[in-house]
Amino acid sequence: MKLTIMRRYSLCMVIAALLICFASVIFAAETAQNSIRSIDISTFRNGQVIAKLTLDQPLDTLPTGVALDNPYRIYFDFYQVSNGLGKNIQEAADGDLRSVNIVQVGDRTRLVLNLAKLMRHDIRAQENVLLIKLVSVAENPMANTVVRFAEETPNKQLNSLQDIDFRRGENGEGRIEVDMTKAGAAVDVQQQGDDIFVEFVDALLPGSMRRRFDVVDFATPVHTIETSKKGDNVRMVVKSKGRWEHSARQSGTRFILEVRALSEDEEELARKKRANGGYTGERLSLNFQDVEVRAVLQVIADFTNFNIIASDSVAGNLTLRLKDVPWDQALDIVLQAQGLDKRKTGNVIFVAPRKEMADRELLDLEAQLQITEMEPLRSEIFHLNHRRVNSLSFEGMLSKRGTINLDEISNTVTVTDIPMRLSEIRKRIQRLDVYERQVMIEARIVDATDTFSRNLGARFGIQNSSNIGNQGLGISGNLTDSSALAGGGSAGGGGNLNVNLPAAAATGLLGGPAALGLSLMKINNGRLINLELSALETDQKGRVIASPRVVTAHGIEAVIEQGDRIPYQQATSSGATSIRFMDATLKLRVKPLITYNGQIDMELSVNQDQIGTAINQFLPPPINTKQVTTKVLVENGGTVVIGGIFNRTENQVVNKVPMLGDIPVLGHVFRNTTKVDNKRELLIFVTPRIISENLNLQ
């Protein structure tokens, strides 16, 4: 009985062990990790690129692509997927996809697509095959922000921003979350100074979101967020203060931008660099007498926990006393004293004599040059959109085997060289072949005049009244033109004048001043006492406006000119004469520079010339010149007054009969008075406006 029970117990144990092994096999088969087996890249003539990934098993969910810039790239994270390619990088043959990096960390594999420029992407699965489609943004700017495959409808709508949310993170960082209607939208993020520019490519902006958000109260590095429409794109400008760094990521239809203030340790590190001439290590003290260099290097290695490798040729002794200095500075002092040099890779520092280090690097360089000589050549055609091919210089960028061909008709550059040099030329073209914004400069030249003159005078005399009769006291004349009396006539119709001081006629006016003639009384022998009063007052106001305007590109000088060319004769040394010309023109010369924050720096020269009155027929007429040359900084759409010339002329002239003209009240009959008050002012207003890419004023 006991033996039977033991046998049954042994049989149960064996069955249980078999069940456990079977379950382990099933569990291991179910939990076998998926892997990427191959990557095939296909480039089409229209610029589209399709990357085909073959995996061991189909994926439950498709990974989300995140687009980054500087440089342009898109990455995908595959969870529970390993790298089964046996390599970490795969080069692309041609097109805008340059290479593919595959990096595995734990159970996650990141696939990075390195791009030549900003591209849209779409991902699609066919069982265990994954297709990633890339399309250049520039070649199809009106398409949807997410590229779809052939079964998609061609009349799809543009991407649109739905909501902008700002919140403060746990560590005090500013977090901007933007919700969009489409997933995988192309987003370009760039930092310029203290501003971050976020460009949503081919996107719409609702009117309620086109405004400026003030987020100072959140106590983050971010102060303001401003959204605006720029052509077919939406631009978001994030202004921050202090020392900070930013990071951006994209998941589905949500874009997240974080701006984090530098920590105290990071700030302390920067402070140390500024205070210690770039050294940031912990401070130490060394005091040695005739000690080996290797021993000092060992002490520094123990203090810093760095791995220091010394060449066999490192030898010699030294004496030093260093107190409270950064360890990296102490290491440099020891190396300089012994003629040594160092190279740092990770946490390993290699130390060798300078000549030996230079020889090693020279051998490495020669090896690279030998590889360059044997590396196969590739050809690539670059199409320039905004620059002319003859305006770019590629001097010194080609290898000895490289060639370059410029085609001015198609505005293309064809380069044949090794891949490394092609990559450098590609980066240079991407950096220089950009849209140069244009500026419209409008100048208003206002020449305002205000002239005033007043002339008072009198004519006084005795007239023979034998031809008039006994009329007694009366008015013998009316308002008349004093020019008719200049020859000695009077209001009464003739006779001698004892005082002839009429008001003078104003320059440039037709006719003379108004006059009033009176016969005051009749005296003995039939004679009359006649008085003629004349007065003239003129008040003229004028304004001459000239408004030249010109459009030019950023950094390009423009000139606009209008006016006359005046011919004149000029005598030569032989006595002959020749016809020469001189200009009397209105000219605007300007060279604008657009700053990173949207302001305009202008070098300006404005002049307005007018033909003056000729002195004689043998000399050319004089040119009245008004000119302003300056350099100003103006905001977009702002107006600045760059010049103001104000002239005022006051003059008062009194002509009188001596002694009689000084008699109170009655003295006005024996004098004439001229008063002149002329004002002239020149003002020049300049208004620059930036023209957007779709040729509209911003």
Side-chain angles (χ1 to χ4, degrees), residues 322-346:
L322 300 175
K323 184 177 181 180
D324 198 23
V325 297
W327 71 263
D328 45 355
Q329 184 179 9
L331 178 60
D332 284 348
I333 292 173
V334 172
L335 298 181
Q336 291 174 7
Q338 297 296 314
L340 303 175
D341 202 353
K342 72 176 187 298
R343 295 293 182 268
K344 181 180 177 183
T345 304

PDB file of all heavy atoms in Angstrom, residues 322-346:
ATOM      1  N   LEU A 322      49.796  74.019  -5.914  1.00  0.00           N
ATOM      2  CA  LEU A 322      48.544  74.626  -6.361  1.00  0.00           C
ATOM      3  C   LEU A 322      47.559  74.584  -5.203  1.00  0.00           C
ATOM      4  O   LEU A 322      47.375  73.540  -4.572  1.00  0.00           O
ATOM      5  CB  LEU A 322      47.965  73.870  -7.567  1.00  0.00           C
ATOM      6  CG  LEU A 322      48.840  73.810  -8.826  1.00  0.00           C
ATOM      7  CD1 LEU A 322      48.194  72.947  -9.884  1.00  0.00           C
ATOM      8  CD2 LEU A 322      49.097  75.215  -9.364  1.00  0.00           C
ATOM      9  N   LYS A 323      46.928  75.694  -4.948  1.00  0.00           N
ATOM     10  CA  LYS A 323      46.008  75.779  -3.820  1.00  0.00           C
ATOM     11  C   LYS A 323      44.650  76.275  -4.307  1.00  0.00           C
ATOM     12  O   LYS A 323      44.536  77.365  -4.878  1.00  0.00           O
ATOM     13  CB  LYS A 323      46.563  76.738  -2.756  1.00  0.00           C
ATOM     14  CG  LYS A 323      45.682  76.802  -1.501  1.00  0.00           C
ATOM     15  CD  LYS A 323      46.303  77.702  -0.439  1.00  0.00           C
ATOM     16  CE  LYS A 323      45.445  77.742   0.808  1.00  0.00           C
ATOM     17  NZ  LYS A 323      46.022  78.613   1.848  1.00  0.00           N
ATOM     18  N   ASP A 324      43.670  75.435  -4.077  1.00  0.00           N
ATOM     19  CA  ASP A 324      42.266  75.788  -4.331  1.00  0.00           C
ATOM     20  C   ASP A 324      42.054  76.243  -5.781  1.00  0.00           C
ATOM     21  O   ASP A 324      41.620  77.355  -6.046  1.00  0.00           O
ATOM     22  CB  ASP A 324      41.820  76.891  -3.361  1.00  0.00           C
ATOM     23  CG  ASP A 324      40.297  76.988  -3.274  1.00  0.00           C
ATOM     24  OD1 ASP A 324      39.624  75.984  -3.579  1.00  0.00           O
ATOM     25  OD2 ASP A 324      39.789  78.078  -2.936  1.00  0.00           O
ATOM     26  N   VAL A 325      42.379  75.374  -6.719  1.00  0.00           N
ATOM     27  CA  VAL A 325      42.153  75.663  -8.141  1.00  0.00           C
ATOM     28  C   VAL A 325      41.279  74.550  -8.709  1.00  0.00           C
ATOM     29  O   VAL A 325      41.278  73.414  -8.204  1.00  0.00           O
ATOM     30  CB  VAL A 325      43.484  75.742  -8.929  1.00  0.00           C
ATOM     31  CG1 VAL A 325      44.333  76.885  -8.432  1.00  0.00           C
ATOM     32  CG2 VAL A 325      44.237  74.425  -8.863  1.00  0.00           C
ATOM     33  N   PRO A 326      40.497  74.810  -9.756  1.00  0.00           N
ATOM     34  CA  PRO A 326      39.707  73.747 -10.392  1.00  0.00           C
ATOM     35  C   PRO A 326      40.613  72.642 -10.911  1.00  0.00           C
ATOM     36  O   PRO A 326      41.705  72.895 -11.427  1.00  0.00           O
ATOM     37  CB  PRO A 326      38.982  74.476 -11.530  1.00  0.00           C
ATOM     38  CG  PRO A 326      38.964  75.917 -11.114  1.00  0.00           C
ATOM     39  CD  PRO A 326      40.222  76.134 -10.358  1.00  0.00           C
ATOM     40  N   TRP A 327      40.149  71.381 -10.763  1.00  0.00           N
ATOM     41  CA  TRP A 327      40.996  70.245 -11.143  1.00  0.00           C
ATOM     42  C   TRP A 327      41.315  70.255 -12.636  1.00  0.00           C
ATOM     43  O   TRP A 327      42.426  69.862 -13.025  1.00  0.00           O
ATOM     44  CB  TRP A 327      40.349  68.935 -10.749  1.00  0.00           C
ATOM     45  CG  TRP A 327      39.125  68.566 -11.572  1.00  0.00           C
ATOM     46  CD1 TRP A 327      37.827  68.770 -11.253  1.00  0.00           C
ATOM     47  CD2 TRP A 327      39.135  67.931 -12.854  1.00  0.00           C
ATOM     48  NE1 TRP A 327      37.012  68.319 -12.242  1.00  0.00           N
ATOM     49  CE2 TRP A 327      37.787  67.791 -13.247  1.00  0.00           C
ATOM     50  CE3 TRP A 327      40.131  67.469 -13.709  1.00  0.00           C
ATOM     51  CZ2 TRP A 327      37.418  67.212 -14.455  1.00  0.00           C
ATOM     52  CZ3 TRP A 327      39.768  66.890 -14.919  1.00  0.00           C
ATOM     53  CH2 TRP A 327      38.422  66.760 -15.283  1.00  0.00           C
ATOM     54  N   ASP A 328      40.365  70.711 -13.498  1.00  0.00           N
ATOM     55  CA  ASP A 328      40.660  70.739 -14.932  1.00  0.00           C
ATOM     56  C   ASP A 328      41.711  71.790 -15.261  1.00  0.00           C
ATOM     57  O   ASP A 328      42.521  71.613 -16.175  1.00  0.00           O
ATOM     58  CB  ASP A 328      39.382  70.961 -15.744  1.00  0.00           C
ATOM     59  CG  ASP A 328      38.509  72.069 -15.177  1.00  0.00           C
ATOM     60  OD1 ASP A 328      38.843  72.596 -14.105  1.00  0.00           O
ATOM     61  OD2 ASP A 328      37.491  72.392 -15.810  1.00  0.00           O
ATOM     62  N   GLN A 329      41.738  72.869 -14.474  1.00  0.00           N
ATOM     63  CA  GLN A 329      42.799  73.857 -14.663  1.00  0.00           C
ATOM     64  C   GLN A 329      44.140  73.305 -14.178  1.00  0.00           C
ATOM     65  O   GLN A 329      45.185  73.531 -14.817  1.00  0.00           O
ATOM     66  CB  GLN A 329      42.460  75.150 -13.921  1.00  0.00           C
ATOM     67  CG  GLN A 329      43.462  76.268 -14.154  1.00  0.00           C
ATOM     68  CD  GLN A 329      43.084  77.547 -13.427  1.00  0.00           C
ATOM     69  OE1 GLN A 329      42.161  77.571 -12.619  1.00  0.00           O
ATOM     70  NE2 GLN A 329      43.814  78.620 -13.718  1.00  0.00           N
ATOM     71  N   ALA A 330      44.123  72.580 -13.060  1.00  0.00           N
ATOM     72  CA  ALA A 330      45.354  71.974 -12.567  1.00  0.00           C
ATOM     73  C   ALA A 330      45.907  70.978 -13.576  1.00  0.00           C
ATOM     74  O   ALA A 330      47.128  70.901 -13.803  1.00  0.00           O
ATOM     75  CB  ALA A 330      45.092  71.289 -11.228  1.00  0.00           C
ATOM     76  N   LEU A 331      45.029  70.186 -14.217  1.00  0.00           N
ATOM     77  CA  LEU A 331      45.479  69.231 -15.226  1.00  0.00           C
ATOM     78  C   LEU A 331      46.116  69.957 -16.403  1.00  0.00           C
ATOM     79  O   LEU A 331      47.175  69.538 -16.902  1.00  0.00           O
ATOM     80  CB  LEU A 331      44.298  68.381 -15.687  1.00  0.00           C
ATOM     81  CG  LEU A 331      44.592  67.356 -16.784  1.00  0.00           C
ATOM     82  CD1 LEU A 331      45.651  66.367 -16.333  1.00  0.00           C
ATOM     83  CD2 LEU A 331      43.311  66.633 -17.189  1.00  0.00           C
ATOM     84  N   ASP A 332      45.517  71.061 -16.846  1.00  0.00           N
ATOM     85  CA  ASP A 332      46.100  71.817 -17.954  1.00  0.00           C
ATOM     86  C   ASP A 332      47.459  72.391 -17.574  1.00  0.00           C
ATOM     87  O   ASP A 332      48.387  72.428 -18.405  1.00  0.00           O
ATOM     88  CB  ASP A 332      45.149  72.951 -18.368  1.00  0.00           C
ATOM     89  CG  ASP A 332      43.964  72.431 -19.167  1.00  0.00           C
ATOM     90  OD1 ASP A 332      44.003  71.266 -19.586  1.00  0.00           O
ATOM     91  OD2 ASP A 332      42.990  73.190 -19.369  1.00  0.00           O
ATOM     92  N   ILE A 333      47.610  72.826 -16.311  1.00  0.00           N
ATOM     93  CA  ILE A 333      48.895  73.377 -15.870  1.00  0.00           C
ATOM     94  C   ILE A 333      49.978  72.303 -15.909  1.00  0.00           C
ATOM     95  O   ILE A 333      51.112  72.532 -16.364  1.00  0.00           O
ATOM     96  CB  ILE A 333      48.749  73.981 -14.462  1.00  0.00           C
ATOM     97  CG1 ILE A 333      47.845  75.223 -14.516  1.00  0.00           C
ATOM     98  CG2 ILE A 333      50.110  74.342 -13.888  1.00  0.00           C
ATOM     99  CD1 ILE A 333      47.520  75.789 -13.145  1.00  0.00           C
ATOM    100  N   VAL A 334      49.646  71.099 -15.437  1.00  0.00           N
ATOM    101  CA  VAL A 334      50.622  70.000 -15.450  1.00  0.00           C
ATOM    102  C   VAL A 334      50.997  69.638 -16.879  1.00  0.00           C
ATOM    103  O   VAL A 334      52.182  69.438 -17.205  1.00  0.00           O
ATOM    104  CB  VAL A 334      50.047  68.788 -14.698  1.00  0.00           C
ATOM    105  CG1 VAL A 334      50.967  67.576 -14.866  1.00  0.00           C
ATOM    106  CG2 VAL A 334      49.862  69.112 -13.219  1.00  0.00           C
ATOM    107  N   LEU A 335      50.021  69.564 -17.762  1.00  0.00           N
ATOM    108  CA  LEU A 335      50.297  69.197 -19.151  1.00  0.00           C
ATOM    109  C   LEU A 335      51.141  70.258 -19.844  1.00  0.00           C
ATOM    110  O   LEU A 335      52.071  69.937 -20.596  1.00  0.00           O
ATOM    111  CB  LEU A 335      48.980  68.982 -19.903  1.00  0.00           C
ATOM    112  CG  LEU A 335      48.071  67.858 -19.378  1.00  0.00           C
ATOM    113  CD1 LEU A 335      46.823  67.748 -20.232  1.00  0.00           C
ATOM    114  CD2 LEU A 335      48.813  66.534 -19.345  1.00  0.00           C
ATOM    115  N   GLN A 336      50.846  71.526 -19.610  1.00  0.00           N
ATOM    116  CA  GLN A 336      51.623  72.601 -20.238  1.00  0.00           C
ATOM    117  C   GLN A 336      53.062  72.615 -19.727  1.00  0.00           C
ATOM    118  O   GLN A 336      54.000  72.886 -20.486  1.00  0.00           O
ATOM    119  CB  GLN A 336      50.948  73.942 -19.965  1.00  0.00           C
ATOM    120  CG  GLN A 336      49.609  74.118 -20.680  1.00  0.00           C
ATOM    121  CD  GLN A 336      48.903  75.392 -20.265  1.00  0.00           C
ATOM    122  OE1 GLN A 336      49.469  76.223 -19.543  1.00  0.00           O
ATOM    123  NE2 GLN A 336      47.663  75.558 -20.711  1.00  0.00           N
ATOM    124  N   ALA A 337      53.244  72.312 -18.438  1.00  0.00           N
ATOM    125  CA  ALA A 337      54.604  72.330 -17.881  1.00  0.00           C
ATOM    126  C   ALA A 337      55.471  71.226 -18.470  1.00  0.00           C
ATOM    127  O   ALA A 337      56.699  71.380 -18.575  1.00  0.00           O
ATOM    128  CB  ALA A 337      54.538  72.202 -16.356  1.00  0.00           C
ATOM    129  N   GLN A 338      54.872  70.124 -18.893  1.00  0.00           N
ATOM    130  CA  GLN A 338      55.637  68.983 -19.409  1.00  0.00           C
ATOM    131  C   GLN A 338      55.515  68.829 -20.923  1.00  0.00           C
ATOM    132  O   GLN A 338      55.970  67.814 -21.465  1.00  0.00           O
ATOM    133  CB  GLN A 338      55.148  67.696 -18.726  1.00  0.00           C
ATOM    134  CG  GLN A 338      55.372  67.679 -17.230  1.00  0.00           C
ATOM    135  CD  GLN A 338      56.854  67.701 -16.890  1.00  0.00           C
ATOM    136  OE1 GLN A 338      57.650  66.969 -17.475  1.00  0.00           O
ATOM    137  NE2 GLN A 338      57.239  68.552 -15.933  1.00  0.00           N
ATOM    138  N   GLY A 339      54.883  69.799 -21.593  1.00  0.00           N
ATOM    139  CA  GLY A 339      54.750  69.708 -23.044  1.00  0.00           C
ATOM    140  C   GLY A 339      53.816  68.601 -23.485  1.00  0.00           C
ATOM    141  O   GLY A 339      54.050  67.962 -24.521  1.00  0.00           O
ATOM    142  N   LEU A 340      52.784  68.344 -22.709  1.00  0.00           N
ATOM    143  CA  LEU A 340      51.835  67.280 -23.004  1.00  0.00           C
ATOM    144  C   LEU A 340      50.527  67.866 -23.526  1.00  0.00           C
ATOM    145  O   LEU A 340      50.259  69.068 -23.426  1.00  0.00           O
ATOM    146  CB  LEU A 340      51.569  66.438 -21.744  1.00  0.00           C
ATOM    147  CG  LEU A 340      52.796  65.806 -21.079  1.00  0.00           C
ATOM    148  CD1 LEU A 340      52.399  65.114 -19.781  1.00  0.00           C
ATOM    149  CD2 LEU A 340      53.475  64.822 -22.023  1.00  0.00           C
ATOM    150  N   ASP A 341      49.697  66.996 -24.060  1.00  0.00           N
ATOM    151  CA  ASP A 341      48.380  67.388 -24.560  1.00  0.00           C
ATOM    152  C   ASP A 341      47.392  66.290 -24.195  1.00  0.00           C
ATOM    153  O   ASP A 341      47.785  65.167 -23.853  1.00  0.00           O
ATOM    154  CB  ASP A 341      48.416  67.599 -26.079  1.00  0.00           C
ATOM    155  CG  ASP A 341      47.277  68.504 -26.538  1.00  0.00           C
ATOM    156  OD1 ASP A 341      46.409  68.839 -25.704  1.00  0.00           O
ATOM    157  OD2 ASP A 341      47.246  68.865 -27.740  1.00  0.00           O
ATOM    158  N   LYS A 342      46.082  66.614 -24.282  1.00  0.00           N
ATOM    159  CA  LYS A 342      45.066  65.643 -23.885  1.00  0.00           C
ATOM    160  C   LYS A 342      43.932  65.642 -24.900  1.00  0.00           C
ATOM    161  O   LYS A 342      43.702  66.622 -25.614  1.00  0.00           O
ATOM    162  CB  LYS A 342      44.515  65.976 -22.492  1.00  0.00           C
ATOM    163  CG  LYS A 342      43.622  67.195 -22.432  1.00  0.00           C
ATOM    164  CD  LYS A 342      43.058  67.389 -21.034  1.00  0.00           C
ATOM    165  CE  LYS A 342      42.017  68.502 -20.983  1.00  0.00           C
ATOM    166  NZ  LYS A 342      42.544  69.834 -21.349  1.00  0.00           N
ATOM    167  N   ARG A 343      43.241  64.510 -24.954  1.00  0.00           N
ATOM    168  CA  ARG A 343      42.019  64.352 -25.728  1.00  0.00           C
ATOM    169  C   ARG A 343      41.017  63.620 -24.836  1.00  0.00           C
ATOM    170  O   ARG A 343      41.337  62.594 -24.232  1.00  0.00           O
ATOM    171  CB  ARG A 343      42.267  63.553 -27.014  1.00  0.00           C
ATOM    172  CG  ARG A 343      43.175  64.241 -28.006  1.00  0.00           C
ATOM    173  CD  ARG A 343      42.529  65.500 -28.571  1.00  0.00           C
ATOM    174  NE  ARG A 343      43.392  66.133 -29.566  1.00  0.00           N
ATOM    175  CZ  ARG A 343      44.282  67.068 -29.301  1.00  0.00           C
ATOM    176  NH1 ARG A 343      44.443  67.477 -28.038  1.00  0.00           N
ATOM    177  NH2 ARG A 343      45.020  67.600 -30.254  1.00  0.00           N
ATOM    178  N   LYS A 344      39.792  64.152 -24.791  1.00  0.00           N
ATOM    179  CA  LYS A 344      38.775  63.598 -23.905  1.00  0.00           C
ATOM    180  C   LYS A 344      37.664  62.968 -24.725  1.00  0.00           C
ATOM    181  O   LYS A 344      37.132  63.589 -25.648  1.00  0.00           O
ATOM    182  CB  LYS A 344      38.210  64.698 -23.004  1.00  0.00           C
ATOM    183  CG  LYS A 344      37.159  64.211 -22.015  1.00  0.00           C
ATOM    184  CD  LYS A 344      36.655  65.357 -21.164  1.00  0.00           C
ATOM    185  CE  LYS A 344      35.546  64.891 -20.222  1.00  0.00           C
ATOM    186  NZ  LYS A 344      34.994  66.014 -19.430  1.00  0.00           N
ATOM    187  N   THR A 345      37.315  61.732 -24.383  1.00  0.00           N
ATOM    188  CA  THR A 345      36.208  61.029 -25.015  1.00  0.00           C
ATOM    189  C   THR A 345      35.362  60.395 -23.911  1.00  0.00           C
ATOM    190  O   THR A 345      35.803  59.440 -23.254  1.00  0.00           O
ATOM    191  CB  THR A 345      36.715  59.941 -25.977  1.00  0.00           C
ATOM    192  OG1 THR A 345      37.584  60.520 -26.940  1.00  0.00           O
ATOM    193  CG2 THR A 345      35.538  59.273 -26.677  1.00  0.00           C
ATOM    194  N   GLY A 346      34.179  60.947 -23.698  1.00  0.00           N
ATOM    195  CA  GLY A 346      33.350  60.446 -22.603  1.00  0.00           C
ATOM    196  C   GLY A 346      34.007  60.728 -21.271  1.00  0.00           C
ATOM    197  O   GLY A 346      34.352  61.867 -20.949  1.00  0.00           O
TER     198      GLY A 346
END
